[in-house]
Amino acid sequence: MSLLDYFKTSKASSASLAKERLQILVAHERSSRNQPSYLPQLQKELLEVIRKYINVDQDAISVNFEQNDTQETLELNIVLPEHQTKTS
Amino acid sequence: MARIIVVTSGKGGVGKTTTSAAIAMGLAKKGHKTAVIDFDVGLRNLDLIMGCERRVVYDFVNVINGEATLNQALIRDKNCNLLYILPASQTRDKDALSQEGVGKILDELKKDFKYIVCDSPAGIEKGAHLAMYFADDAFIVTNPEVSSVRDSDRMLGILSSKSRRAEQNEDPIKEYLLLSRYSPDRVKLGEMLSVEDVQEILSLHLLGVIPESKSVLNASNSGTPVILDEKSDAGQAYADIVARYLGEDKPHRFIDDKKGLFGKLFGRK
């Protein structure tokens, strides 16, 4: 610490940036920590089933598991391509 | 009833061994028979911080393998006759520890000691897992820095799901935050996460703040736990932490920048 530091006015503080980044990251990591371990496998198998009928991309399907005090929600989201019926 | 304390962090270099040495000494100085165990097999350093590196004959792995008795391996501290050190093996790898072996040694220690302090290695692998597995209390050593806070949170997840208490559906491990290498002046300048920031992110009970201090290096240079340096800020911070852990009411210190204008102008000596 020196004379200079004492008079320096701090701009946007790096500590608040650190806090913000950590809060987002920790929240994300905690939510995935509580996810059931079968989730990735479930996602993979669901994708296989859907692909039998519809030609969807690998990333067209997302599975979200959410938990609060009263209930657990499993959210399944599939983005269908424009021409959705497989012509085979 | 004996209590097992794990000193852990996930991240390396945050002050686990310094903390283990200090709180073990502090508990013993308060009249409680205490053992401190180094779980860092292959990279032992607790012996060096405690200043007993030349008295190591047998180690933790020797005891697990039945090559030595616990009494042969325990080293009585030179400063306090209620404190004993169980060093880690320097030559084996971490697979030398087994859950069964560690459990047996801890059970034996519990008959004779009031507190058993487990100095965890960094990381989340076997050594770290076994150090926390049997714990009753966890001291999470965290630096006010992004990677340390993140790793501490990861460690909290492991404590709440992979410990013996979690697996057997007992009361969870009691978790305490020890924020180390804290610089109030940098916090004031907005350059460092504050105590409140870290507490808010981790939602942990704060046991104490250890300021960034020259006395820590001086203490490890000489092999005396920093808590014995009663004049130093870090030594006093650890003494407060031990007192709070034992239920004494001590107001928190070293959180605010106490230096006046004079100190700021002329810097730390």
Side-chain angles (χ1 to χ4, degrees):
Chain A
M1 287 298 96
S2 66
L3 191 60
L4 231 133
D5 288 318
Y6 188 63
F7 291 110
K8 196 176 76 182
T9 48
S10 52
K11 297 160 242 152
S13 85
S14 64
S16 56
L17 193 62
K19 186 184 180 187
E20 200 180 310
R21 291 173 62 214
L22 272 170
Q23 278 175 323
I24 294 166
L25 183 70
V26 164
H28 176 76
E29 287 181 345
R30 279 187 192 159
S31 67
S32 56
R33 188 190 296 162
N34 295 328
Q35 279 183 352
S37 54
Y38 56 74
L39 225 54
Q41 185 66 23
L42 176 72
Q43 177 156 358
K44 188 170 160 276
E45 286 178 24
L46 278 171
L47 189 68
E48 280 164 16
V49 173
I50 291 162
R51 275 188 164 171
K52 277 192 194 169
Y53 305 96
I54 309 166
N55 197 4
V56 292
D57 282 344
Q58 189 79 36
D59 51 0
I61 179 168
S62 69
V63 180
N64 277 314
F65 182 82
E66 271 172 29
Q67 208 173 14
N68 59 33
D69 294 337
T70 51
Q71 58 182 357
E72 293 174 346
T73 321
L74 188 66
E75 182 189 273
L76 179 64
N77 220 325
I78 308 161
V79 181
L80 297 178
E82 283 186 19
H83 305 288
Q84 56 198 57
T85 40
K86 210 174 186 177
T87 49
S88 57
Chain B
M1 187 63 195
R3 280 196 88 78
I4 300 174
I5 303 168
V6 61
V7 177
T8 188
S9 67
K11 190 178 182 296
V14 298
K16 284 182 295 298
T17 301
T18 299
T19 299
S20 300
I23 60 152
M25 177 62 78
L27 289 165
K29 281 272 183 191
K30 288 267 192 186
H32 304 290
K33 196 173 179 189
T34 302
V36 57
I37 309 177
D38 191 347
F39 274 78
D40 205 346
V41 173
L43 290 169
R44 79 164 172 235
N45 276 316
L46 180 68
D47 54 335
L48 210 46
I49 301 301
M50 299 292 303
C52 66
E53 70 277 8
R54 293 173 65 179
R55 293 195 286 146
V56 176
V57 182
Y58 295 111
D59 59 55
F60 199 6
V61 175
N62 290 137
V63 182
I64 287 182
N65 292 345
E67 296 152 2
T69 66
L70 197 47
N71 282 332
Q72 286 176 308
L74 285 170
I75 303 167
R76 179 185 280 203
D77 185 79
K78 61 188 175 196
N79 293 301
C80 182
N81 59 14
L82 287 175
L83 178 59
Y84 290 78
I85 300 118
L86 182 57
S89 171
Q90 187 68 313
T91 51
R92 318 290 179 93
D93 60 60
K94 55 184 184 299
D95 294 326
L97 296 178
S98 65
Q99 186 160 302
E100 193 197 350
V102 172
K104 256 167 80 180
I105 290 181
L106 290 175
D107 280 343
E108 208 175 324
L109 285 170
K110 277 168 111 172
K111 292 178 201 156
D112 200 22
F113 289 87
K114 182 74 189 16
Y115 292 102
I116 301 156
V117 178
C118 301
D119 181 21
S120 173
I124 50 172
E125 284 166 48
K126 197 165 186 183
H129 176 83
L130 288 173
M132 68 89 200
Y133 185 76
F134 297 96
D136 302 302
D137 301 309
F139 287 9
I140 316 289
V141 184
T142 307
N143 292 168
E145 180 271 325
V146 284
S147 52
S148 174
V149 175
R150 180 201 210 171
D151 289 358
S152 292
D153 189 65
R154 178 94 172 87
M155 209 61 227
L156 290 173
I158 292 170
L159 289 170
S160 63
S161 62
K162 305 260 167 71
S163 63
R164 187 190 58 86
R165 281 176 172 268
E167 284 181 2
Q168 301 189 357
N169 272 323
E170 291 178 21
D171 292 339
I173 294 176
K174 284 206 180 96
E175 300 155 344
Y176 301 94
L177 174 65
L178 280 73
L179 194 60
S180 62
R181 309 199 70 162
Y182 196 70
S183 300
D185 46 353
R186 299 203 70 186
V187 172
K188 206 172 171 189
L189 289 169
E191 295 175 350
M192 184 181 271
L193 290 164
S194 69
V195 188
E196 295 81 19
D197 291 342
V198 178
Q199 267 188 286
E200 196 184 321
I201 294 162
L202 296 177
S203 345
L204 271 182
H205 176 74
L206 178 72
L207 201 54
V209 170
I210 305 106
E212 173 77 58
S213 169
K214 289 179 180 171
S215 57
V216 172
L217 183 58
N218 285 330
S220 73
N221 285 343
S222 64
T224 28
V226 69
I227 197 168
L228 293 177
D229 184 356
E230 288 165 12
K231 291 199 179 88
S232 71
D233 45 3
Q236 291 173 14
Y238 278 117
D240 283 5
I241 284 169
V242 169
R244 279 186 210 109
Y245 174 70
L246 293 173
E248 289 176 41
D249 186 24
K250 290 258 179 197
H252 283 284
R253 294 194 277 170
F254 312 110
I255 291 176
D256 297 315
D257 194 0
K258 284 281 157 58
K259 264 190 304 172
L261 182 62
F262 184 84
K264 275 177 184 153
L265 291 177
F266 297 100
R268 218 172 282 247
K269 61 169 189 268

